[in-house]
Amino acid sequence: RLLDVEAFRARQRPIVQVLATVNLVVVNSAFLEGRITRLGVPGDKILNVRQGVAGDEFESIDPIGSDDDALKLLYLGQLSQHKGVDLLLDAVISLAGEHVPVHLTLHGPSTDAVLAARLEELTHPAITVADPLRRQELAYALATHDALVVPSRWYDNSPNVILEAFSAGCPVVTANHGGMAEMVRHEVDGLL
């Protein structure tokens, strides 16, 4: 599907006009700060403050090991191509085909008809498609997986799920662009 570039430009014009009138723009990533600067907002009118998460729900959960050696990957969020879920599926299927012990669990709503059809037909033993998690299940899910994967093609600005994973002591593997790339320190608390 081709992007309607003119539609994006038309949408951007009133945004630029409004931004020209504000006293302060609050952003939560250097990525977004750069995007706002490119729209003409001077740096002294931008305040960059990262959001946080309440960590107390993760304090009582210790990482939980398992009896097998499989790498347990977790995906949380929209099951759609713009979130890179198809890339993740292909990577896990490829690893499993090379006899790498890996298991991926996907939790989230399907928001993409093409990907939903693929997931409906998918019967791969290394992949489990599950319902979205309830909030009280999040800490346990993060504690029982080796890494959270955020493979988004979209320039996600500052996903809360990355902060939640870190609060639970779960490393993150993420795409190396957008605001995601500035949240994960490569080979320190995850991989880019």
Side-chain angles (χ1 to χ4, degrees):
R1 185 168 69 175
L2 295 174
L3 295 175
D4 186 346
V5 174
E6 186 49 42
F8 282 105
R9 287 184 181 138
R11 181 173 178 250
Q12 188 173 325
R13 285 184 204 108
I15 293 171
V16 171
Q17 290 172 345
V18 168
L19 286 174
T21 67
V22 300
N23 294 326
L24 184 67
V25 177
V26 179
V27 299
N28 57 357
S29 72
F31 169 75
L32 186 55
E33 182 175 357
R35 303 296 269 190
I36 297 294
T37 301
R38 281 192 289 282
L39 291 176
V41 177
D44 62 345
K45 287 189 169 191
I46 301 173
L47 176 62
N48 186 345
V49 181
R50 172 90 49 209
Q51 82 275 20
V53 295
D56 55 340
E57 65 191 293
F58 303 105
E59 290 175 359
S60 62
I61 302 288
D62 290 323
I64 301 167
S66 67
D67 296 336
D68 63 44
D69 292 330
L71 175 64
K72 289 172 192 55
L73 302 175
L74 179 64
Y75 173 87
L76 302 170
Q78 294 178 41
L79 302 179
S80 63
Q81 292 184 72
H82 79 276
K83 291 294 191 172
V85 173
D86 58 315
L87 301 173
L88 183 53
L89 294 173
D90 293 343
V92 168
I93 290 168
S94 177
L95 287 170
E98 295 174 16
H99 305 289
V100 174
V102 61
H103 189 270
L104 168 65
T105 303
L106 302 157
H107 287 280
S110 277
T111 59
D112 177 316
V114 173
L115 186 61
R118 179 179 177 190
L119 290 171
E120 188 72 29
E121 297 173 6
L122 186 66
T123 57
H124 199 284
I127 300 171
T128 300
V129 180
D131 291 331
L133 292 174
R134 294 186 313 252
R135 184 73 193 167
Q136 60 270 28
E137 299 169 318
L138 179 61
Y140 181 80
L142 289 165
T144 56
H145 287 81
D146 296 311
L148 174 75
V149 184
V150 184
S152 192
R153 286 182 171 96
W154 185 255
Y155 287 143
D156 283 325
N157 180 47
S158 184
N160 280 342
V161 72
I162 292 176
L163 298 174
E164 292 163 339
F166 289 156
S167 291
C170 184
V172 176
V173 178
T174 192
N176 191 11
H177 61 249
M180 301 168 294
E182 69 190 71
M183 296 176 78
V184 175
R185 296 171 297 165
H186 186 64
E187 296 185 351
V188 175
D189 49 20
L191 299 173
L192 297 175

